[in-house]
Amino acid sequence: MIPLQHYLVVAALLFGIGLAGALTRRNAIVVLIGIELMLNAANLNFIAFWCYGPNPQKLTGVLFALFAIGIAAAEAAVGLALVIAIYRHNRTTQLDRLDKLKG
Amino acid sequence: MRLTFLLLAALTLGSALLALSRRRLVHCALWVAVSFAALACLYLQLGAQFIGFAQVLVYVGAVAILIVFAILLTRSTEEPAAPAVIPGWLSGISIAVLTAGGLVVPILSSSLLPAPPAAPPMVTAQALGQELMTRYVLVLEVAGLLLTAALIGAVILALKESEGRP
């Protein structure tokens, strides 16, 4: 089988790509996409460590990833509803336009 | 085995990169769906069948569609000439590169990681369901409660504001 390092490197690079998108894009929806990619990178780590761990019959990594997927789904639903609510008020989803609180 | 891993890893990372660098929002949503699907294949390769199918159901099925809906509902704000990134994007990219580098270098130089097993572990949906219904039943209930709260919260947030509400 493939060494564990390979999966961890893929997850780290995926996390980096998601972080870059979340930090640099102007559109709120693309920022949410970046956050989803970071959550997926964490899930890949859970599954890889479960598969290569000493006791995979305990199923802890799989169950952790399952609950992480469920919580990420809730987060995506609420996040996108917030984006739609903000769009109703301000007619924009560009993050640098939403500067009402700026002094 | 190695070839499939390399192809899936390249597909995951390449489509994630495209999803966050395309200008058109609809293209971003479609590329991120490709990335989620390739990740599901990686889970299947690691022997986690149930998680792979849950990934397809939740991410490729629900989250990608939700993102497309949100893009279509907020569509009219797209300005074709405006830049897609914020002014300080260079520092954002350098933070991301530093983070990824700070993760990759220790991973590659570590000697503590376990040796690969002979074959990926087999886990049946029955065993998973038994664990969920016995040992993790409280967590399952809390997750169900959280999903219900998120459902109601999302509906209330996105509801059209009537005259009775400020």
Side-chain angles (χ1 to χ4, degrees), chain A residues 1-2 6-7 17 23-27 30 33 36 40 43 51 59 62-63 72 87-89 91 97, chain B residues 5 20 22 25 32 36 39 43 45-46 51 55 59 76-77 79 83-86 89 123 136 158 161:
Chain A
M1 266 180 76
I2 299 143
H6 290 37
Y7 286 102
I17 291 171
L23 288 179
T24 57
R25 291 292 298 246
R26 282 178 76 219
N27 195 292
V30 186
I33 291 177
E36 290 295 328
N40 267 295
N43 269 347
C51 180
L59 297 174
V62 174
L63 285 163
Y87 172 76
R88 280 235 183 82
H89 273 285
R91 290 281 132 199
R97 296 270 183 78
Chain B
F5 169 76
L20 293 173
R22 296 271 93 188
L25 291 182
V32 87
F36 289 155
L39 260 174
Y43 295 157
Q45 203 189 19
L46 279 169
I51 298 295
Q55 169 90 0
Y59 275 105
S76 56
T77 55
E79 309 151 45
V85 291
I86 57 168
W89 61 275
V123 44
Y136 295 95
E161 285 175 24

Side-chain angles (χ1 to χ4, degrees), chain A residues 42-102:
Chain A
N43 269 347
L44 183 58
N45 267 358
F46 281 134
I47 297 291
F49 275 118
W50 163 76
C51 180
Y52 288 76
N55 198 355
Q57 296 313 320
K58 293 290 271 186
L59 297 174
T60 38
V62 174
L63 285 163
F64 210 125
L66 194 62
F67 287 117
I69 287 177
I71 290 179
E75 173 259 330
V78 174
L80 290 169
L82 275 174
V83 170
I84 291 172
I86 288 170
Y87 172 76
R88 280 235 183 82
H89 273 285
N90 300 297
R91 290 281 132 199
T92 183
T93 54
Q94 310 288 348
L95 290 171
D96 53 350
R97 296 270 183 78
L98 303 169
D99 53 0
K100 268 187 191 163
L101 288 178
K102 201 173 183 179

Side-chain angles (χ1 to χ4, degrees), chain A residues 2-12 45 48 52, chain B residues 5 104 106-116:
Chain A
I2 299 143
L4 175 59
Q5 275 97 332
H6 290 37
Y7 286 102
L8 299 185
V9 167
V10 169
N45 267 358
Y52 288 76
Chain B
F5 169 76
V104 168
I107 288 169
L108 288 181
S109 59
S110 168
S111 57
L112 293 175
L113 293 172

